[in-house]
Amino acid sequence: MNNFKILLAFLVIGCTSCAKNDSEPNQVTADKTIAATDVSTLKLSDDNTFQNTLPFPIGVGINMGILKRDSRYRDIVIKEYNSISAETAMKMKSLRPSATTYKWSEADDLVKFAEENNKRVYGHALIWGNSLPGWVKDFKGGYPEWKQMFKAHITQVVKHFKGKVVAWDVINEAFADNGDLKNTIWRQKLGPNYIDMAFIFAHRADPSAILFINDYGMEYGNNKRRGLVKYVEGMIERGIPIDGIGTQFHSRVNLPDAKFSRALNEIAATGLKVHISEMEISLNPASLQSLLLSSLLEREQAAKYEYIVRSYNALPKKQQFGITLWNVTDKDSWVLNYYDRPDWPLPFDGNYQKKPAYQGILDGVN
């Protein structure tokens, strides 16, 4: 199957239809086998890449600065992936430096790159409690002013990319580990139904866009996942236009396999689309500064990638929106700087070479 057929099959996806309603938050409704022990043994033909091999889209979160200045990085994105997300370029802090100013250039460059290279664009993220510009934290006004600002941002961004961004993380990381809603600035100012409102506003701005709620850590424990699932089930009952759940899988090599499959199956039980949205598998969760990469660690990582992909591939096909890896090579991963440690979490090493993890992903669908 060529790239176009793969993309076409996954882009022709219906969006939940619903009527429009602009009620207050408490009244919001809407109708709606590891084949390689050493990288040198991976002898894949030119067309045996992720995007031509996997039966669902394989995506990558990209850093636009690196994409523009590093041809090796760019070449891997072009060759290996058929869906791209912006690591930061579509977050509120990047797009809206002031209440009255939008800065589109970097996000537009991402969309142009995608169009030129036949990639699906996944929008990340409309509303998040972090990565906020300073003016939001200092915003004055009561509920009506906050609601208007909130609505205007979602509407403006979604309309700007209408027809170009296939799907959005409408709400990002809204749940605490205990399964309750986090006390984000949006909840403080708009109430707990800000989530429903965001989906309604996004759907109105682009009725064809596929809308996701996205969160992390759902493979680690039960409380967050079940709290999110329960909330989403309520959204479905209320007719809120939600199409899918993103589970990030910023995970680690020593997490038991069953935790991944349990998370995927419980999320899929909602009947919504499932997106593994920001995946990498860390090899140094204990943050040991002296740790060195070994062939054993690489094999364990490959086996973990294989298990996750195999578990995902077992979900109903109509619910498989795809898997997105969070950046391209080990040296580009957020994990290294955030935790200040050596780590090697991705399928390509810092020299742009395929690791056994790459073959693990392929083996997951064979």
Side-chain angles (χ1 to χ4, degrees):
M1 181 182 291
N2 59 34
N3 292 353
F4 177 77
K5 290 181 179 178
I6 292 175
L7 287 172
L8 185 60
F10 284 90
L11 294 180
V12 182
I13 305 173
C15 180
T16 306
S17 63
C18 70
K20 303 172 178 59
N21 189 308
D22 193 15
S23 55
E24 295 301 316
N26 62 352
Q27 299 172 335
V28 168
T29 56
D31 35 273
K32 229 247 85 185
T33 21
I34 303 172
T37 58
D38 186 275
V39 171
S40 64
T41 66
L42 290 179
K43 298 180 180 180
L44 303 177
S45 62
D46 287 341
D47 64 347
N48 191 14
T49 57
F50 287 158
Q51 60 179 326
N52 283 329
T53 305
L54 273 68
F56 43 76
I58 185 77
V60 64
I62 60 175
N63 180 301
M64 287 301 295
I66 303 175
L67 186 82
K68 290 177 179 180
R69 69 174 181 261
D70 192 326
S71 61
R72 293 175 297 175
Y73 183 101
R74 187 167 55 251
D75 288 347
I76 288 177
V77 174
I78 292 171
K79 181 179 180 182
E80 300 290 349
Y81 301 100
N82 50 23
S83 179
I84 57 176
S85 303
E87 192 177 42
T88 61
M90 290 185 179
K91 291 173 180 173
M92 195 173 190
K93 188 174 183 178
S94 299
L95 281 181
R96 200 171 175 186
S98 77
T100 58
T101 304
Y102 288 85
K103 185 179 178 181
W104 302 111
S105 58
E106 194 165 80
D108 284 345
D109 287 346
L110 181 147
V111 171
K112 182 180 178 182
F113 170 81
E115 291 173 339
E116 291 172 346
N117 293 283
N118 200 27
K119 311 296 182 187
R120 180 180 79 180
V121 181
Y122 187 93
H124 173 79
L126 291 173
I127 297 297
W128 186 24
N130 295 347
S131 195
L132 295 172
W135 67 266
V136 171
K137 300 172 187 178
D138 298 332
F139 189 80
K140 307 299 182 184
Y143 173 81
E145 291 78 19
W146 275 88
K147 180 181 177 182
Q148 181 56 37
M149 179 266 283
F150 180 81
K151 177 182 178 181
H153 179 76
I154 294 170
T155 302
Q156 186 73 13
V157 172
V158 175
K159 282 189 173 181
H160 181 83
F161 295 107
K162 186 177 181 179
K164 299 176 181 179
V165 171
V166 172
W168 285 98
D169 285 332
V170 178
I171 296 291
N172 190 50
E173 299 179 3
F175 287 82
D177 289 344
N178 66 1
D180 293 338
L181 284 177
K182 289 180 178 176
N183 192 31
T184 66
I185 195 169
W186 306 113
R187 184 183 182 186
Q188 294 169 23
K189 302 299 183 180
L190 296 172
N193 284 340
Y194 81 91
I195 294 176
D196 289 16
M197 292 167 56
F199 277 85
I200 291 169
F201 296 151
H203 179 70
R204 290 180 187 172
D206 184 358
S208 67
I210 303 166
L211 307 181
F212 283 78
I213 190 167
N214 185 52
D215 222 311
Y216 67 92
M218 289 192 281
E219 73 276 25
Y220 284 94
N222 295 327
N223 291 336
K224 171 182 275 195
R225 180 179 68 253
R226 291 175 182 171
L228 182 146
V229 166
K230 182 179 179 180
Y231 189 94
V232 167
E233 289 172 342
M235 293 176 71
I236 295 170
E237 291 175 0
R238 294 190 295 275
I240 304 301
I242 182 171
D243 300 291
I245 298 174
T247 180
Q248 295 179 14
F249 281 10
H250 293 299
S251 204
R252 62 185 190 224
V253 71
N254 58 350
L255 198 68
D257 287 348
K259 288 183 175 288
F260 295 100
S261 53
R262 182 183 300 118
L264 289 171
N265 290 332
E266 288 189 10
I267 291 168
T270 63
L272 298 179
K273 300 182 188 305
V274 180
H275 182 204
I276 298 180
S277 55
E278 306 178 27
M279 183 167 68
E280 78 277 322
I281 304 297
S282 294
L283 295 180
N284 189 13
S287 296
L288 302 175
Q289 295 301 317
S290 60
L291 187 68
L292 299 176
L293 182 62
S294 66
S295 59
L296 174 60
L297 281 174
E298 286 193 316
R299 291 195 298 272
E300 290 175 347
Q301 182 183 57
K304 193 66 67 179
Y305 270 111
E306 178 182 349
Y307 182 86
I308 293 170
V309 172
R310 191 176 304 282
S311 298
Y312 184 80
N313 196 40
L315 299 180
K317 295 302 176 187
K318 67 179 181 179
Q319 292 181 255
Q320 294 177 6
F321 192 76
I323 295 176
T324 296
L325 295 158
W326 210 236
N327 225 311
V328 177
T329 77
D330 288 338
K331 68 179 181 180
D332 308 314
S333 174
W334 69 281
V335 170
L336 282 70
N337 289 329
Y338 187 84
Y339 292 105
D340 188 23
R341 73 191 190 201
D343 215 325
W344 308 268
L346 290 162
F348 289 87
D349 67 20
N351 293 315
Y352 305 89
Q353 300 302 303
K354 298 168 187 171
K355 293 160 56 184
Y358 182 102
Q359 185 64 43
I361 293 173
L362 296 180
D363 290 344
V365 297
N366 294 328

